[in-house]
């Protein structure tokens, strides 16, 4: 069954959707969309380093994404304005990554695949990494769920309960970096934030509890993967953008059926 490229692509997308729901919900609640963009844009630099030193794409993007997440977290903790830091880091990382990748001849022809993803070329090894990483991040979020939620809702209340909001923010940053590394082959660096944010934004008005919102977001992401792959197969559209477009359609419908 796994010899069928469509089945492999579908399994990869569903694996990513499982973790995109709960992690994307925290990104929406904490208004970390721009943080996700910064980490995702840095993935291009990771691709360049991986190709230059003959490393795994996942290893290169994970290393750079983790570095970006830790640097941004450290700068913000020192009192730097979040929007300024993210603006500088996001555009600088993307620019440096594009410059660096121009020095790797083998990567120039595949640049669009790294920017927008190419889920139809996912292999069995990619599937193992995507599912293994997604389940690990999902387990981490389930384990820290109540602490993360408390720190997200009210930092003062979290501190009173003995929870360090900075540590919980670091946990989310690391989880986000891992998912960025996993997503580079599926939707590409420019659309990673979208697959996290759009399904969660669509689920926000359809659920009354945080847990239901996370579950609904995962379901919307999974259906978006299926719809995007179907349109890519039958309408000859790019797979990654098609998946995000399907999620955007869900968001539009959610505005109509939003709970009061």
């Amino acid at each position: 069954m796994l010899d069928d490229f469509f089945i492999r692509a579908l399994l990869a997308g569903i694996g990513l959707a499982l973790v995109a729901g709960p992690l994307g919900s925290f990104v929406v609640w904490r208004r970390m969309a721009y943080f996700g963009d910064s980490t995702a844009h840095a993935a291009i630099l990771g691709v360049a380093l991986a190709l230059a030193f003959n490393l795994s794409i996942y290893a290169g993007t994970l290393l750079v994404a983790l570095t970006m997440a830790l640097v941004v977290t450290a700068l913000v903790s020192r009192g730097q304005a979040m929007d300024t830091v993210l603006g500088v880091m996001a555009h600088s990382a993307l620019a440096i990554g594009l410059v660096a990748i121009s020095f790797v001849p083998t990567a120039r022809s595949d640049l669009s695949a790294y920017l927008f993803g190419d889920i139809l070329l996912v292999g069995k090894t990619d599937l193992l990494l995507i599912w293994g990483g997604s389940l690990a991040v999902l387990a981490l979020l389930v384990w820290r769920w109540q602490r993360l939620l408390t720190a997200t809702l009210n930092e003062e209340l979290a501190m009173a309960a003995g929870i360090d909001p900075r540590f919980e923010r670091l946990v989310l940053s690391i989880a986000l970096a891992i998912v960025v590394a996993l997503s580079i082959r599926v939707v590409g660096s420019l659309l990673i934030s979208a697959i996290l944010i759009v399904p969660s934004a669509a689920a926000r008005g359809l659920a009354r509890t945080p847990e239901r919102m996370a579950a609904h977001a995962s379901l919307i992401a999974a259906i978006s993967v299926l719809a995007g792959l179907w349109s890519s197969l039958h309408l000859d559209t790019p797979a990654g953008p098609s998946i995000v477009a399907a999620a955007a359609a869900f968001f539009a419908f959610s505005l109509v059926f939003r709970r009061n």
Side-chain angles (χ1 to χ4, degrees):
M1 180 177 71
L2 293 183
D3 290 334
D4 189 329
F5 74 94
F6 184 85
I7 297 298
R8 290 197 301 270
L10 182 60
L11 289 175
I14 291 175
L16 180 60
L18 287 176
V19 71
L23 182 59
S25 295
F26 278 109
V27 170
V28 170
W29 293 330
R30 284 179 168 266
R31 300 181 180 179
M32 293 174 63
Y34 209 4
F35 186 98
D37 278 335
S38 301
T39 310
H41 289 174
I44 289 296
L45 178 57
V47 170
L49 293 176
L51 294 175
F53 293 99
N54 197 27
L55 301 173
S56 165
I57 296 296
Y58 295 106
T61 53
L62 178 59
L63 176 63
V64 174
L66 279 174
T67 301
M68 171 67 76
L70 295 175
V71 168
V72 170
T73 301
L75 290 175
V76 172
S77 298
R78 292 185 178 183
Q80 297 290 331
M82 173 72 84
D83 58 344
T84 302
V85 171
L86 292 178
V88 171
M89 298 295 285
H91 301 301
S92 298
L94 180 59
I96 294 171
L98 291 174
V99 170
I101 211 168
S102 69
F103 290 99
V104 185
T106 57
R108 295 180 184 178
S109 59
D110 296 329
L111 183 57
S112 63
Y114 300 123
L115 291 174
F116 302 106
D118 200 348
I119 191 174
L120 297 178
L121 294 182
V122 166
K124 295 179 181 179
T125 301
D126 297 315
L127 272 181
L128 290 175
L129 289 171
I130 290 171
W131 273 87
S134 294
L135 290 177
V137 172
L138 189 60
L140 173 65
L141 294 177
V142 170
W143 174 46
R144 307 292 301 182
W145 182 265
Q146 197 57 53
R147 289 176 172 268
L148 287 169
L149 193 59
T150 303
T152 297
L153 296 175
N154 191 317
E155 291 194 356
E156 293 182 357
L157 178 62
M159 294 178 66
I163 299 171
D164 185 355
R166 291 176 298 179
F167 180 76
E168 302 308 324
R169 190 182 305 119
L170 179 61
V171 169
L172 280 179
S173 299
I174 293 173
L176 187 59
I178 295 173
V179 172
V180 164
L182 296 174
S183 306
I184 192 74
R185 290 293 299 271
V186 178
V187 290
S189 67
L190 296 184
L191 299 176
I192 291 172
S193 290
I195 200 62
L196 287 169
I197 297 166
V198 179
S200 297
R204 190 172 194 174
L206 305 176
R208 294 192 179 277
T209 66
E211 291 77 15
R212 287 187 178 183
M213 175 176 163
H216 288 172
S218 289
L219 180 60
I220 291 172
I223 297 174
S224 297
V225 168
L226 179 59
L229 289 176
W230 182 90
S231 65
S232 177
L233 187 64
H234 294 278
L235 303 178
D236 196 27
T237 57
S242 297
I243 291 172
V244 176
F250 271 105
F251 176 72
F253 282 118
S254 75
L255 296 178
V256 177
F257 298 104
R258 185 178 296 272
R259 292 178 181 270
N260 295 323

